[in-house]
Amino acid sequence: MKNAYTVKQVNSYIKNMFTQDFMLSRIYVKGEVSNCKYHTSGHIYFSLKDESGTIACVMFAGSRQGLSFRLEEGQQVIVFGSVSVYERSGQYQLYAREIVRDGLGALYERFEALKNELAEMGMFAPEYKQPIPRYIRTLGVVTAPTGAAVRDIINIAARRNPFVQIILYPAQVQGEGASDSIVRGIRMLEQKKTDVIIIGRGGGSIEDLWAFNEENVARAVFECSVPVISAVGHETDTTISDYVADLRAPTPSAAAELAVYDIREVYEKLSGCRRMLCDRITRTIADKRSKAEHMRVRLRYAHPRQKLRENRQYAAELENKLRMLMENRLDRDRHRLALYIEKMKGLSPLEKLSHGYSYVTTEDGVNVRRVSQAKAGARLRIYVQDGSYPAVVADEDK
Amino acid sequence: MEEKITLEDMFRELETLTEQMEDPDITLEQSFDLYNRGMELLKKCNESIDSVEKKVLVLDESGETHEF
């Protein structure tokens, strides 16, 4: 019993064996993920298993750049790393540096190849896209009869417009025969002549969504005379059917919103139209009425009686004016006359006669002012204050 | 679905119709005609919305439908 080794010695010896093994230091291991735990430290602990057994694995936080997806139970993966011993528990485990999904590479290649082929054939071309009718009455749905997708579509459609008839084709959306099931659903709903068809399913792995990447589904969507909305998985998942469909919806809920119009909006629009019509007709009537009133007033002014009245009034005005002018004129003349009379009074010879002078005229009434005006024997008239008498010139002074 | 959905067309016609009614030179008769047509359209719109709540139908392989 002299040569007993410590645990530490044995574990470190075994560890050293692993470390020196060329194969175990760089190894690819494939299997199914189980017991996967994301630790708060950032390390991921999981096991890889196959039919025969399991191997413990760890991916340290420092190696996380070697993992580009979320590791989940049941995934088929290939892990690259090294196998070594965890001395504390004396267990060997796989230290992962890189993890890729097994078989995905082939799937992506198929996806890309089909996508390119169909694109070249023009199956994604915008000119083949049918418009989604704005107001539908029937909605066809091709999806699994259970699960979130069908529930979301029915709930949202019913909330927006409970009067739209939904016809569900319960399809198998993953696994063997899924694409044939989806194709049959599209064809049968096309025969039912629904206004729009939604095909889709909830989120899942690329394998789960694969049926929507199959060529027969793509062709059925392309050939469908009814507009098709494709809603597969989450917003980030894109499938071939999304490219071929007349419209791509990010999720099944969004597809229902795009397909089913909101009945409340229509009711609002209808009452808006009614209000507008009533408004317009009332305005037109009021407009015509005010025009008629305007005409009535104008017509009344144009009546001959009105004209006659106006003429009569004008005539009366003119008469007044005339009379006034005349009177003014007369007043003015009367005044002038009075002035003349006063003036004449001052100039009258009779005034002078009252002072003892007399006024002598010839027979013709010409005032005699000079001797030469009357020869001897000429007949004159002499005016005095109270009258006149005739006179004859007796002689002439020599 | 024998009858084609015309809700969209009806809305379009209502739109042009109300526009025409805005024209101040329109005759009263025309205005009444447009109004009557508009009211008729509104009635049709309401009728075309078949306001009966629908149950989800499930289509089986033989093409028959039954309630979900």
Side-chain angles (χ1 to χ4, degrees):
Chain A
M1 298 296 263
K2 271 187 193 152
N3 294 339
Y5 294 97
T6 62
V7 172
K8 183 186 163 91
Q9 281 172 322
V10 175
N11 275 348
S12 70
Y13 177 78
I14 293 174
K15 185 173 185 174
N16 197 35
M17 279 176 65
F18 276 91
T19 315
Q20 284 179 358
D21 188 292
F22 178 72
M23 238 228 12
L24 290 179
S25 65
R26 290 179 62 83
I27 193 168
Y28 290 92
V29 186
K30 66 176 175 182
E32 189 186 318
V33 176
S34 73
N35 284 328
C36 179
K37 285 187 192 69
Y38 276 67
H39 195 266
T40 47
S41 59
H43 310 327
I44 306 168
Y45 299 97
F46 61 103
S47 303
L48 275 186
K49 66 173 186 183
D50 61 12
E51 314 81 59
S52 68
T54 68
I55 179 172
C57 307
V58 60
M59 179 175 243
F60 290 129
S63 306
R64 283 284 289 274
Q65 72 273 15
L67 177 66
S68 60
F69 58 97
R70 177 144 186 111
L71 205 59
E72 272 163 17
E73 299 285 318
Q75 284 171 340
Q76 290 293 326
V77 295
I78 298 172
V79 179
F80 171 72
S82 57
V83 180
S84 186
V85 173
Y86 182 48
E87 288 168 78
R88 209 170 273 275
S89 63
Q91 281 180 320
Y92 68 87
Q93 51 185 8
L94 178 57
Y95 292 86
R97 290 207 285 278
E98 240 177 80
I99 305 174
V100 294
R101 305 202 56 183
D102 193 11
L104 272 195
L107 277 185
Y108 279 122
E109 263 170 43
R110 259 173 71 194
F111 176 84
E112 282 300 320
L114 184 60
K115 190 181 135 192
N116 291 338
E117 189 190 332
L118 298 184
E120 245 167 65
M121 282 194 283
M123 279 172 67
F124 308 154
E127 54 264 39
Y128 291 125
K129 304 277 184 220
Q130 302 184 71
I132 308 299
R134 179 86 181 77
Y135 303 106
I136 63 163
R137 293 193 191 188
T138 54
L139 170 66
V141 179
V142 179
T143 192
T146 55
V150 71
R151 240 187 2 254
D152 288 351
I153 292 174
I154 291 173
N155 286 345
I156 286 170
R159 194 188 66 212
R160 286 173 72 81
N161 189 345
F163 313 135
V164 165
Q165 175 67 64
I166 298 175
I167 302 178
L168 170 71
Y169 180 87
Q172 183 195 339
V173 293
Q174 72 186 69
E176 195 71 30
S179 65
D180 290 337
S181 174
I182 295 165
V183 169
R184 209 155 46 241
I186 295 171
R187 300 237 165 97
M188 287 186 75
L189 287 173
E190 184 183 12
Q191 270 175 19
K192 283 277 169 196
K193 293 196 181 359
T194 59
D195 296 320
V196 169
I197 297 174
I198 295 176
I199 63 168
R201 54 154 295 151
S205 67
I206 182 168
E207 295 97 326
D208 292 342
L209 308 182
W210 193 255
F212 293 89
N213 287 323
E214 295 284 7
E215 184 165 357
N216 59 346
V217 171
R219 289 197 177 279
V221 171
F222 184 75
E223 285 159 9
C224 186
S225 59
V226 173
V228 175
I229 301 176
S230 170
V232 182
H234 301 299
E235 179 134 28
T236 47
D237 301 318
T238 308
T239 59
I240 300 279
S241 75
D242 289 336
Y243 289 113
V244 189
D246 298 297
L247 185 66
R248 187 217 166 196
T251 60
S253 307
E257 301 219 344
L258 290 167
V260 179
Y261 66 98
D262 197 327
I263 189 77
R264 282 164 305 181
E265 274 172 32
V266 170
Y267 283 151
E268 258 165 48
K269 200 165 174 184
L270 281 176
S271 64
C273 281
R274 185 186 303 278
R275 250 197 325 274
M276 195 115 93
L277 276 178
C278 292
D279 204 49
R280 295 287 148 72
I281 193 81
T282 323
R283 209 187 301 163
T284 307
I285 292 170
D287 204 42
K288 302 288 178 201
R289 189 171 284 154
S290 92
K291 247 180 207 158
E293 173 61 19
H294 183 64
M295 283 309 193
R296 196 181 66 78
V297 171
R298 269 176 66 182
L299 213 63
R300 207 183 53 198
Y301 276 116
H303 194 279
R305 195 188 324 122
Q306 180 68 18
K307 201 89 199 150
L308 211 61
R309 196 180 294 155
E310 272 174 29
N311 284 346
R312 202 174 287 147
Q313 191 179 342
Y314 187 52
E317 270 171 32
L318 283 178
E319 194 190 322
N320 263 344
K321 201 169 169 190
L322 212 64
R323 185 177 297 138
M324 214 142 74
L325 282 172
M326 204 55 219
E327 260 164 27
N328 282 350
R329 180 63 203 252
L330 281 174
D331 272 354
R332 215 166 48 237
D333 285 358
R334 227 175 261 134
H335 186 66
R336 265 171 75 188
L337 195 60
L339 281 178
Y340 278 127
I341 289 170
E342 275 312 302
K343 220 170 172 181
M344 287 295 280
K345 252 189 201 159
L347 292 174
S348 174
L350 295 180
E351 284 290 304
K352 294 220 163 59
L353 297 191
S354 65
H355 294 105
Y357 297 103
S358 46
Y359 180 68
V360 181
T361 67
T362 62
E363 262 178 328
D364 314 325
V366 176
N367 188 10
V368 179
R369 292 173 175 238
R370 296 186 189 280
V371 175
S372 58
Q373 278 178 276
K375 311 268 188 231
R379 300 185 75 89
L380 302 171
R381 183 160 283 270
I382 298 164
Y383 291 85
V384 291
Q385 192 176 5
D386 55 348
S388 66
Y389 46 85
V392 177
V393 179
D395 207 355
E396 287 172 76
D397 288 337
K398 294 288 177 184
Chain B
M1 279 300 296
E2 269 77 51
E3 190 191 338
K4 191 84 192 124
I5 306 164
T6 52
L7 209 50
E8 202 147 35
D9 297 333
M10 286 192 264
F11 275 136
R12 207 171 300 130
E13 194 180 339
L14 276 166
E15 195 82 27
T16 42
L17 197 136
T18 40
E19 258 170 44
Q20 284 174 303
M21 283 179 82
E22 271 194 321
D23 182 354
D25 293 335
I26 198 166
T27 68
L28 195 58
E29 288 72 20
Q30 282 171 315
S31 188
F32 268 116
D33 286 348
L34 289 168
Y35 177 76
N36 285 336
R37 172 79 186 131
M39 281 305 177
E40 199 179 303
L41 278 171
L42 282 173
K43 195 159 160 274
K44 274 191 188 162
C45 282
N46 272 320
E47 280 165 3
S48 85
I49 301 168
D50 170 13
S51 49
V52 177
E53 280 196 31
K54 306 294 192 305
K55 295 240 167 32
V56 176
L57 294 178
V58 175
L59 189 59
D60 64 25
E61 291 303 322
S62 58
E64 298 296 311
T65 53
H66 47 89
E67 278 187 16
F68 186 44

